Amino acid sequence: MTNASSAPAGTPVLVPLAYRVVARRHETADVTTLRLSPVADAVAPGRPGQFNMLSAFGVGEAAISLSAAPDATGEVQHTIRDVGPVSHALCTSAPGDLVGVRGPFGTDWGVDDLGYGDTVVVAGGIGLAPLAGAIDVLAERRRYGGGRVFVAVGARNPDQVMLRAELGRWLAAGVRVRVTVDAAPAGFTGGVGLVTQLLPGLGFDPARTTALVCGPEVMIRFSVRALVDLGVPPGAVRVSLERNMQCGTALCGHCQLGPLLLCRDGPVVTWNDELATLLTENER
Ligand SMILES: Cc1cc2nc3c(=O)[nH]c(=O)nc-3n(C[C@H](O)[C@H](O)[C@H](O)COP(=O)(O)OP(=O)(O)OC[C@H]3O[C@@H](n4cnc5c(N)ncnc54)[C@H](O)[C@@H]3O)c2cc1C
Ligand code: FES
């Protein structure tokens, strides 16, 4: 995994650059995906797992992960859940509107390290968004003989399953995708249950697996436990952690978790005992 909270020389990280909304897709009732194109100068492309600070002008700024691998267009993609003032303004912005972007910040999933072993991706809720770019890369590699990729997705109910276009694309590329929901109406034919219940049946080889996990913290803790119980070494599990981000540049301390500043040392961190203790002590 690499840390790129220090963007390339010359890239402004404290001043947002103007981007225009060029496409908008409603994923669920409260989740929207935006494609943003630079008006003039662009931020560095970023790597899957990293985040940008997006500003809704006149409202405020929020940390939002890249939800697609960088491509030649120079556009960035973000998938946002409408939970408060900033995310609401972003989710309701229309094609043509301007949004501020600064970044990219933090560590990434390190997909360049993942080649020929198995990769298991475990996503809960909006946690699929920060993982989507990594799955894009791994799916493309799989198409050309790369290692096996398993994706387990948990959502609250069938209406909350997001990034359906991506799920279909990954399946077509040979990724084994399984989706489960916490609760479903009568007659639902898909999987019902917690995302951890999908893990034993996925068919990966634990000893040669790297796992990428993102979602609510409680889901992360239970997923890591389930993976380790299945034989995945703790050091082969990477998780993405969220804390309140303000500066994104390791200056303000808002994102501190024990000795870590998660805008710099995270959001993607390798699992270890110290992290398990920190998360239990700072439960959220
Ligand atoms: C590194 C990182 C990556 C993120 N990536 C995404 C993403 O890809 N898509 C996305 O929708 N959101 C993402 N978030 C969460 C997003 O930054 C928050 O939801 C943001 O604070 C929303 O701002 P707001 O003004 O709309 O709501 P606020 O007024 O800040 O908060 C509204 C509600 O959301 C809760 N909340 C605020 N921040 C968080 C948080 N970090 N985690 C959980 N609950 C929170 C508050 O407690 C409150 O209940 C990410 C956060 C971090 C730190
Ligand atoms: S957001 Fe990490 S130090 Fe300011």
Side-chain angles (χ1 to χ4, degrees), residues 15-21 34 36-37 39 43 52-58 60-62 64 76 78 86 90 93 97-103:
V15 179
L17 297 177
Y19 274 61
R20 200 172 293 287
V21 178
L34 299 178
L36 304 173
S37 180
V39 172
V43 299
N52 283 322
M53 296 298 295
L54 298 190
S55 34
F57 293 116
E61 233 187 358
I64 304 290
V76 291
H78 292 280
V86 178
L90 292 169
S93 57
D97 287 354
L98 291 180
V99 165
V101 179
R102 62 186 183 93

Side-chain angles (χ1 to χ4, degrees), residues 60-74:
E61 233 187 358
I64 304 290
S65 302
L66 295 160
S67 67
D71 61 25
T73 64

Side-chain angles (χ1 to χ4, degrees), residues 16 28 73 101 126 134 153 162 174 183 197 199 204 218 223 240 242 251 271:
T28 70
T73 64
V101 179
I126 191 74
V153 177
M162 65 185 72
Q197 293 171 293
L199 301 179
F204 55 88
V218 63
S223 298
S240 180
E242 289 188 4
L251 290 173
W271 191 259

Side-chain angles (χ1 to χ4, degrees), residues 119-180:
T119 304
V120 176
V121 177
V122 191
I126 191 74
L128 182 58
L131 286 160
I135 308 171
D136 279 341
V137 173
L138 294 166
E140 193 56 22
R141 223 174 267 166
R142 178 73 186 147
R143 203 185 279 283
Y144 297 102
R148 298 189 300 174
V149 187
F150 304 81
V151 176
V153 177
R156 282 203 298 273
N157 59 56
D159 293 340
Q160 288 287 332
V161 178
M162 65 185 72
L163 297 176
R164 288 172 186 265
E166 281 80 353
L167 293 173
R169 204 172 66 223
W170 300 331
L171 269 169
V175 174
R176 301 187 195 181
V177 178
R178 298 283 181 277
V179 179
T180 184

Side-chain angles (χ1 to χ4, degrees), residues 51 62-65 79-81 83-88 126 129-130 242-243 245 267 284:
F51 66 96
I64 304 290
S65 302
T79 299
I80 307 153
R81 168 158 284 147
V83 294
V86 178
S87 52
H88 179 71
I126 191 74
E242 289 188 4
R243 282 293 181 276
M245 305 282 181
R284 46 172 291 174

Side-chain angles (χ1 to χ4, degrees), residues 122 152 180 193-200 219 221-224 226 230:
V122 191
T180 184
L194 297 175
V195 71
T196 45
Q197 293 171 293
L198 293 176
L199 301 179
M219 168 264 168
R221 288 207 307 273
F222 279 103
S223 298
V224 175
L230 286 168

